[in-house]
PDB file of all heavy atoms in Angstrom:
ATOM      1  N   MET A 136     -28.869  -4.603 -13.942  1.00 90.00           N
ATOM      2  CA  MET A 136     -30.264  -4.517 -14.485  1.00 90.00           C
ATOM      3  C   MET A 136     -31.035  -5.825 -14.264  1.00 90.00           C
ATOM      4  O   MET A 136     -32.248  -5.885 -13.755  1.00 90.00           O
ATOM      5  CB  MET A 136     -30.145  -4.294 -16.009  1.00 90.00           C
ATOM      6  CG  MET A 136     -29.695  -2.944 -16.439  1.00 90.00           C
ATOM      7  SD  MET A 136     -29.607  -3.105 -18.241  1.00 90.00           S
ATOM      8  CE  MET A 136     -28.697  -1.512 -18.747  1.00 90.00           C
ATOM      9  N   LYS A 137     -30.380  -6.930 -14.548  1.00 91.00           N
ATOM     10  CA  LYS A 137     -30.965  -8.246 -14.365  1.00 91.00           C
ATOM     11  C   LYS A 137     -31.272  -8.510 -12.838  1.00 91.00           C
ATOM     12  O   LYS A 137     -32.297  -9.203 -12.719  1.00 91.00           O
ATOM     13  CB  LYS A 137     -29.980  -9.418 -14.924  1.00 91.00           C
ATOM     14  CG  LYS A 137     -30.080  -9.448 -16.429  1.00 91.00           C
ATOM     15  CD  LYS A 137     -28.960 -10.363 -17.122  1.00 91.00           C
ATOM     16  CE  LYS A 137     -28.693 -11.530 -16.401  1.00 91.00           C
ATOM     17  NZ  LYS A 137     -27.729 -12.407 -17.075  1.00 91.00           N
ATOM     18  N   ILE A 140     -34.312  -5.056 -11.821  1.00 94.00           N
ATOM     19  CA  ILE A 140     -35.631  -4.978 -12.448  1.00 94.00           C
ATOM     20  C   ILE A 140     -36.703  -6.045 -11.868  1.00 94.00           C
ATOM     21  O   ILE A 140     -37.690  -5.665 -11.575  1.00 94.00           O
ATOM     22  CB  ILE A 140     -35.524  -5.080 -13.979  1.00 94.00           C
ATOM     23  CG1 ILE A 140     -34.798  -3.892 -14.562  1.00 94.00           C
ATOM     24  CG2 ILE A 140     -36.907  -5.300 -14.634  1.00 94.00           C
ATOM     25  CD1 ILE A 140     -34.472  -3.848 -16.057  1.00 94.00           C
ATOM     26  N   PRO A 141     -36.164  -7.310 -11.624  1.00 94.00           N
ATOM     27  CA  PRO A 141     -37.074  -8.209 -11.037  1.00 94.00           C
ATOM     28  C   PRO A 141     -37.544  -7.863  -9.630  1.00 94.00           C
ATOM     29  O   PRO A 141     -38.644  -8.246  -9.230  1.00 94.00           O
ATOM     30  CB  PRO A 141     -36.423  -9.581 -10.811  1.00 94.00           C
ATOM     31  CG  PRO A 141     -35.268  -9.443 -11.996  1.00 94.00           C
ATOM     32  CD  PRO A 141     -34.839  -8.034 -12.128  1.00 94.00           C
ATOM     33  N   GLY A 177     -37.430  -3.623 -22.402  1.00 92.00           N
ATOM     34  CA  GLY A 177     -37.591  -5.041 -22.946  1.00 92.00           C
ATOM     35  C   GLY A 177     -37.386  -6.106 -21.816  1.00 92.00           C
ATOM     36  O   GLY A 177     -38.103  -6.995 -21.656  1.00 92.00           O
ATOM     37  N   MET A 178     -36.523  -5.810 -20.860  1.00 94.00           N
ATOM     38  CA  MET A 178     -36.236  -6.770 -19.659  1.00 94.00           C
ATOM     39  C   MET A 178     -37.633  -6.837 -18.824  1.00 94.00           C
ATOM     40  O   MET A 178     -38.155  -7.840 -18.467  1.00 94.00           O
ATOM     41  CB  MET A 178     -35.179  -6.387 -18.951  1.00 94.00           C
ATOM     42  CG  MET A 178     -33.779  -6.709 -19.518  1.00 94.00           C
ATOM     43  SD  MET A 178     -32.540  -6.224 -18.308  1.00 94.00           S
ATOM     44  CE  MET A 178     -30.998  -6.846 -19.153  1.00 94.00           C
ATOM     45  N   ALA A 179     -38.042  -5.644 -18.529  1.00 94.00           N
ATOM     46  CA  ALA A 179     -39.354  -5.533 -17.817  1.00 94.00           C
ATOM     47  C   ALA A 179     -40.526  -6.141 -18.556  1.00 94.00           C
ATOM     48  O   ALA A 179     -41.356  -6.855 -17.932  1.00 94.00           O
ATOM     49  CB  ALA A 179     -39.629  -4.007 -17.473  1.00 94.00           C
ATOM     50  N   TYR A 180     -40.650  -5.964 -19.696  1.00 94.00           N
ATOM     51  CA  TYR A 180     -41.784  -6.468 -20.505  1.00 94.00           C
ATOM     52  C   TYR A 180     -41.678  -8.001 -20.569  1.00 94.00           C
ATOM     53  O   TYR A 180     -42.662  -8.698 -20.394  1.00 94.00           O
ATOM     54  CB  TYR A 180     -41.736  -5.959 -21.947  1.00 94.00           C
ATOM     55  CG  TYR A 180     -42.778  -6.547 -22.903  1.00 94.00           C
ATOM     56  CD1 TYR A 180     -44.055  -6.139 -22.628  1.00 94.00           C
ATOM     57  CD2 TYR A 180     -42.533  -7.514 -23.831  1.00 94.00           C
ATOM     58  CE1 TYR A 180     -45.160  -6.624 -23.442  1.00 94.00           C
ATOM     59  CE2 TYR A 180     -43.437  -7.957 -24.621  1.00 94.00           C
ATOM     60  CZ  TYR A 180     -44.887  -7.522 -24.483  1.00 94.00           C
ATOM     61  OH  TYR A 180     -45.856  -8.022 -25.269  1.00 94.00           O
ATOM     62  N   MET A 181     -40.548  -8.638 -20.687  1.00 94.00           N
ATOM     63  CA  MET A 181     -40.308 -10.146 -20.585  1.00 94.00           C
ATOM     64  C   MET A 181     -40.592 -10.589 -19.176  1.00 94.00           C
ATOM     65  O   MET A 181     -41.127 -11.704 -19.083  1.00 94.00           O
ATOM     66  CB  MET A 181     -38.800 -10.423 -21.008  1.00 94.00           C
ATOM     67  CG  MET A 181     -38.444 -10.218 -22.463  1.00 94.00           C
ATOM     68  SD  MET A 181     -39.498 -11.228 -23.577  1.00 94.00           S
ATOM     69  CE  MET A 181     -38.989 -12.891 -23.099  1.00 94.00           C
ATOM     70  N   LEU A 182     -40.492  -9.824 -18.137  1.00 94.00           N
ATOM     71  CA  LEU A 182     -40.818 -10.282 -16.785  1.00 94.00           C
ATOM     72  C   LEU A 182     -42.279  -9.938 -16.471  1.00 94.00           C
ATOM     73  O   LEU A 182     -42.776 -10.115 -15.418  1.00 94.00           O
ATOM     74  CB  LEU A 182     -39.957  -9.522 -15.833  1.00 94.00           C
ATOM     75  CG  LEU A 182     -38.469  -9.943 -15.730  1.00 94.00           C
ATOM     76  CD1 LEU A 182     -37.732  -8.977 -14.954  1.00 94.00           C
ATOM     77  CD2 LEU A 182     -38.482 -11.332 -15.309  1.00 94.00           C
ATOM     78  N   GLU A 183     -43.067  -9.531 -17.516  1.00 93.00           N
ATOM     79  CA  GLU A 183     -44.519  -9.063 -17.412  1.00 93.00           C
ATOM     80  C   GLU A 183     -44.712  -8.083 -16.399  1.00 93.00           C
ATOM     81  O   GLU A 183     -45.711  -8.166 -15.588  1.00 93.00           O
ATOM     82  CB  GLU A 183     -45.267 -10.418 -17.130  1.00 93.00           C
ATOM     83  CG  GLU A 183     -45.117 -11.492 -18.399  1.00 93.00           C
ATOM     84  CD  GLU A 183     -46.103 -12.579 -18.033  1.00 93.00           C
ATOM     85  OE1 GLU A 183     -46.487 -12.891 -16.978  1.00 93.00           O
ATOM     86  OE2 GLU A 183     -46.225 -13.452 -19.030  1.00 93.00           O
ATOM     87  N   LYS A 184     -43.782  -7.206 -16.257  1.00 94.00           N
ATOM     88  CA  LYS A 184     -43.987  -5.989 -15.404  1.00 94.00           C
ATOM     89  C   LYS A 184     -44.608  -4.864 -16.204  1.00 94.00           C
ATOM     90  O   LYS A 184     -44.332  -4.584 -17.356  1.00 94.00           O
ATOM     91  CB  LYS A 184     -42.666  -5.636 -14.762  1.00 94.00           C
ATOM     92  CG  LYS A 184     -42.088  -6.746 -13.815  1.00 94.00           C
ATOM     93  CD  LYS A 184     -40.911  -6.117 -12.987  1.00 94.00           C
ATOM     94  CE  LYS A 184     -40.482  -7.243 -12.107  1.00 94.00           C
ATOM     95  NZ  LYS A 184     -41.342  -7.525 -10.917  1.00 94.00           N
ATOM     96  N   LYS A 237     -50.429  -9.076  -9.872  1.00 81.00           N
ATOM     97  CA  LYS A 237     -49.368 -10.198 -10.266  1.00 81.00           C
ATOM     98  C   LYS A 237     -48.818 -10.831  -8.927  1.00 81.00           C
ATOM     99  O   LYS A 237     -48.574 -12.005  -9.002  1.00 81.00           O
ATOM    100  CB  LYS A 237     -48.272  -9.576 -11.160  1.00 81.00           C
ATOM    101  CG  LYS A 237     -47.306 -10.574 -11.697  1.00 81.00           C
ATOM    102  CD  LYS A 237     -46.337  -9.911 -12.717  1.00 81.00           C
ATOM    103  CE  LYS A 237     -45.473 -11.112 -13.260  1.00 81.00           C
ATOM    104  NZ  LYS A 237     -44.103 -10.867 -13.063  1.00 81.00           N
ATOM    105  N   GLU A 241     -49.018 -14.672  -7.859  1.00 68.00           N
ATOM    106  CA  GLU A 241     -47.823 -15.514  -7.493  1.00 68.00           C
ATOM    107  C   GLU A 241     -47.930 -16.006  -6.033  1.00 68.00           C
ATOM    108  O   GLU A 241     -47.561 -17.189  -5.782  1.00 68.00           O
ATOM    109  CB  GLU A 241     -46.621 -14.618  -7.614  1.00 68.00           C
ATOM    110  CG  GLU A 241     -46.227 -14.285  -9.106  1.00 68.00           C
ATOM    111  CD  GLU A 241     -45.132 -13.231  -9.162  1.00 68.00           C
ATOM    112  OE1 GLU A 241     -44.716 -12.772  -8.073  1.00 68.00           O
ATOM    113  OE2 GLU A 241     -44.850 -12.961 -10.377  1.00 68.00           O
TER     114      GLU A 241
END
Side-chain angles (χ1 to χ4, degrees):
M136 290 176 189
K137 284 169 35 180
I140 292 173
M178 287 180 174
Y180 181 73
M181 289 298 293
L182 291 168
E183 298 180 350
K184 293 192 176 283
K237 186 172 186 234
E241 287 170 0

